[in-house]
Amino acid sequence: MTQNTAVRVRFAPSPTGHIHVGNARTALFNYLFARSMGGTFVLRIEDTDLERSTVASEQLIYEDLKWLGLNWDEGEGKGGAYGPYRQTERFDIYNEATDKLLREGKAYHCFCTKEELEAAREQALKEGRPPLYNGKCKSIPREEAERRIEAGEKPAIRFHADKPNVVVRDLIHGDVEFPTNAFGDFIIVRPDGVPVYNYAVVIDDALMKITHVLRGDDHLPNTPKQVLLFDALGYTTPLFAHIPMILGPDRSKLSKRHGNTSVEQFRSAGYLPEAMINFMALLSWSPEGEDELFNMNELIDRFTLDRVSSSAAVFDFDKLKWMNGMYIRSADINTITALAVPHLMAAGQVTPEFVTGEMERLAKMVASVRDNFEVIGDAPKYMSVYFDEIPEPDEESREILDLPTTRAVLETFLKLIDDYHWLAVDIYKDCAKQVGKDTGAKGKALYMALRVGMTGKTKGPELDLFVPLMPVEKLKERLKRTLERI
Ligand code: GLU
């Protein structure tokens, strides 16, 4: 891979809540591209929608990115040579650009009221013309505009879109041509002085020296306006790569009704960041070959823009679960245990005291069942065997209880373990063998009976792992309870 330290990309979220997986995938592609090229990954906060943006949401974005391991090089907490990195702190910069456009006659004040604009729009539609701005304020001389502003009027500022068409050069979609009359003279600064997204983004991308704009292709229709503005302001236009959207399993745009959609929802359901990263990387991107499991470094090694597809990706929730299970199985057991704790606490299975005092035993318990987890949230279901009352026998357990030897097996075992507080695995094995000898029960009649006697179920962790982790007192209670059910 050729190193290109000049590569500068950015992730530019609007702080309106936790990061949606679609945006997280955009952040990931930017990150992978930057890291693979030895470039710079900038984080810019686009908070010009003053009503919807909150400082609290900004924090959520930082948390989500950090959790995913998408560390930025410039922006909040990092500084950088091209700040500030929050749009509401850049109004002076935008104003300067606007003055330049006004001075050069590339933009003009528009005093039209909402009602006037609406009436003109309706008129145009009635006459079968595209509902573009009618240019009413274009010819107002600058001095007159200034006078009206001094007198208290609050105009918007419109960009004079005078080119017939614009070609967007996109690394994923190729050249896409847009006729300018699809939008006409558009507003760049609202009457309240706040620049619109399409305007601020251009100034920021240019002044932050962004070389590649990688973002969702829902922004492709915005790009011709941005290209016009780059030109008008005398800036170099960056290269664009619009990443296809993510669809739900029914092939409609991924949304809440398909299930989890925010990074935070996946985190709290018990998905691991490594699994999320691996899974998201494969949404509209694929490396050469058939392999599907890659850690971040392996992704960085393999990532190239030319392997990003132009077609939408379907978010396969089952595949994500499968992948998450793979990561859960290969992760450090203490990490998995620590992640399971909040779920176990919420299920009332462990107390904070137990967790502090019995961490080692708890980790062994988790180790005995974690191969079953698809998400960490599955922990209480599989840890139930250690912490909950034994369930009423189901059909399979009932069959074991009905075997002629089961009562003798459980009673003999109870007697043999009576003096112990804990059963080390060898002692447990000896006891089980002794029970076999004394009662004549073998195989299923012996081991299934013990299993059902101590867990109430025919399935669960290996008894060699399970038994040494349970206080004998508890096992005895359970065996007695089971005997009552025979
Ligand atoms: N703030 C925009 C968004 O969140 C950024 C779009 C862009 O990357 O240009 O959609």
Side-chain angles (χ1 to χ4, degrees), residues 10 12-14 23 44 46 197 201 205 213-215 219 226:
R10 84 307 193 269
S14 303
N23 281 336
R44 180 172 73 229
E46 302 210 325
Y197 155 71
V201 79
D205 285 342
V213 170
L214 275 56
R215 63 184 166 204
H219 283 291
Q226 297 179 17

Side-chain angles (χ1 to χ4, degrees), residues 361-395:
R361 184 154 68 99
L362 186 61
K364 286 184 182 158
M365 292 174 175
V366 174
S368 74
V369 294
R370 72 148 149 191
D371 285 3
N372 301 293
F373 299 0
E374 286 184 316
V375 289
I376 304 286
D378 287 338
K381 181 166 133 203
Y382 294 101
M383 292 287 276
S384 173
V385 67
Y386 290 105
F387 296 115
D388 299 336
E389 293 292 313
I390 53 174
E392 286 295 327
D394 59 12
E395 214 175 298

Side-chain angles (χ1 to χ4, degrees), residues 18-25 64 67-68 246-247 249 254-256 258-277 279-280 283 315-321 324 328 339 343 374-378:
H18 275 290
I19 304 182
H20 181 274
V21 282
N23 281 336
R25 195 263 319 243
D64 290 346
W67 180 73
L68 288 167
I246 302 176
L247 307 177
L254 183 68
S255 72
K256 281 192 195 109
H258 294 114
N260 292 339
T261 51
S262 82
V263 169
E264 161 56 22
Q265 285 167 338
F266 286 105
R267 189 186 68 77
S268 56
Y271 287 86
L272 303 188
E274 295 82 358
M276 293 302 294
I277 289 289
F279 177 78
M280 291 191 302
L283 296 172
F315 196 100
D316 182 342
F317 286 87
D318 291 334
K319 182 173 169 183
L320 172 57
K321 274 194 185 154
N324 201 53
I328 289 177
L339 290 172
H343 296 272
E374 286 184 316
V375 289
I376 304 286
D378 287 338

